[in-house]
Amino acid sequence: MTLAMTREDLMAFLKEAFPQVSDDYIVDHVEEKLIRVRLVVDDRHLRPGGTISGPSMFSLADVTVYLGVLSMIGPKALAVTTNCSIDFMRKPAAGQDLVAEARLLKLGRVLAVGDVVMWSDTGPEAARAGRLAPVARATLTYSIPPER
Amino acid sequence: MTLAMTREDLMAFLKEAFPQVSDDYIVDHVEEKLIRVRLVVDDRHLRPGGTISGPSMFSLADVTVYLGVLSMIGPKALAVTTNCSIDFMRKPAAGQDLVAEARLLKLGRVLAVGDVVMWSDTGPEAARAGRLAPVARATLTYSIPPER
Amino acid sequence: MTLAMTREDLMAFLKEAFPQVSDDYIVDHVEEKLIRVRLVVDDRHLRPGGTISGPSMFSLADVTVYLGVLSMIGPKALAVTTNCSIDFMRKPAAGQDLVAEARLLKLGRVLAVGDVVMWSDTGPEAARAGRLAPVARATLTYSIPPER
Amino acid sequence: MTLAMTREDLMAFLKEAFPQVSDDYIVDHVEEKLIRVRLVVDDRHLRPGGTISGPSMFSLADVTVYLGVLSMIGPKALAVTTNCSIDFMRKPAAGQDLVAEARLLKLGRVLAVGDVVMWSDTGPEAARAGRLAPVARATLTYSIPPER
């Protein structure tokens, strides 16, 4: 199966469709049913004390699965999130980007489901450890509108 | 049972602890185990097309249950969200504030659980209808750190 | 709006479609978008120690929202659960039925969403207190197959 | 890190603590923070039509994460499920066992979180395809009671 959108396509789509947030995210990698997106952490994502805020993590999870779905079905901006369950498990490392990896578990005619794990990007060595100690996880369901 | 924090206490706490977002929220009402908080909708909460963004709704749900918990136990800024499940059910009405009503279902020694329903604030008449047609619902769990 | 199925219709449907579990449940009440179903607690629902098992509570939540959906749209046995989030908050009272009350928050063309609160049935007096101290809560999403 | 309980320990614990369901489950594999448990499918797990019931899948997810937690911390029968979110994504294959693989994402002092993916056990070849087409997924949170 070939991807409907490449990493570059996804970045261009994000810039066009969501200009106000597109600078926050970098698509690090995409392959069939798997995608990694990075939140370029900035002051506006932080809570007092320097922790990345819950809404910033929710947004990263949402964007990551959304782009993962689009990578498979093409640029349908109308896919909408219908459900999210998210677990916040550890404090992210201060001053580090947050990296989300999503797997598409279902890509049906009307519903898509993706699982996301997020961890602090603390360099190649620590990243492996970081995978064992994820900051948060989430599952998102998207409703895919019928073609017209 | 008396409230540990009044509506005014909660607004002052929000201003002090979360100055960057405190203008977004107004505590409309608080009583034992029940609280209503309003998101004063602004351009930065909107997606292209004028819909309130998912992260803005997540934030409102999170703030509402958080303030509900604090209204019962006092200003413990360290309570942290550990889990959220959220369902997005309808498009919010354009140009209307979003109102969240949370009920605390559990207020234990280490965990608190609250249910939230959100609807567009389309005036007293429509509000009743609005309750029957909520925009979103969420359940949040908070971990309450032990006293030191 | 009139109900598509009455309390008696729902009980008869349950007996016909799910004979192996229909004796476990009694529909106590149904009205527009609201339904109450009782789990008639029996040894097979219990964990060692006498607590009602998690799967028994999950089943009650699932049946309750399912029957609530059918009460509105008629006997479509093919509606399937796509998502459930459930919070277990307190031990149920020993030797008491468990009562679930579900509200339908969304009844769309393809998806239905219902919220459930469960509490031990400890008599009319305690029931009011019981509502303030629910045993569990859940939200379920059903996918409604298109008419053929 | 060594396991607190081996595969054999877990099977013996299940037999002792939950005699009424222990024949339903086989621990196929356990290693640090990863466990696979099989539901030996029997008529009582089926819905009319031969599909494995939702409660049976919920139970499998619950048992799998529970045993995964015990494999790390030892036989504390008092760990209780506080939250579960579960997505039902595909019909299980008829007449096949259901296999659940759980990863422990967090194992804290008071809370443990595990992710589960379930698929029909349709033989070594199909299993690989089966992983790409999971039947269900779930995340469970356990509350670990303090030592006394």
Side-chain angles (χ1 to χ4, degrees), chain C residues 3 15 33 36-37 45 48 63 96 102 110 128 136 142-143 148:
Chain C
L3 290 173
K15 204 173 199 74
K33 296 189 182 170
R36 270 197 301 278
V37 176
H45 305 121
V63 163
Q96 301 286 348
V110 293
R128 284 196 298 274
Y142 279 78
S143 170
R148 267 173 288 190

Side-chain angles (χ1 to χ4, degrees), chain D residues 37-97:
Chain D
V37 177
R38 165 186 307 268
L39 173 67
V40 183
V41 174
D42 186 275
D43 279 358
R44 70 183 169 286
H45 305 122
L46 303 181
R47 281 260 187 271
T51 307
I52 297 171
S53 74
S56 297
M57 293 195 235
F58 172 86
S59 296
L60 175 60
D62 194 20
V63 163
T64 303
V65 178
Y66 181 62
L67 293 179
V69 170
L70 298 196
S71 76
M72 301 297 292
I73 67 172
K76 307 194 177 179
L78 292 173
V80 292
T81 313
T82 56
N83 174 262
C84 172
S85 74
I86 185 164
D87 294 271
F88 302 100
M89 297 184 293
R90 284 174 193 82
K91 264 195 165 174
Q96 301 286 348
D97 287 352

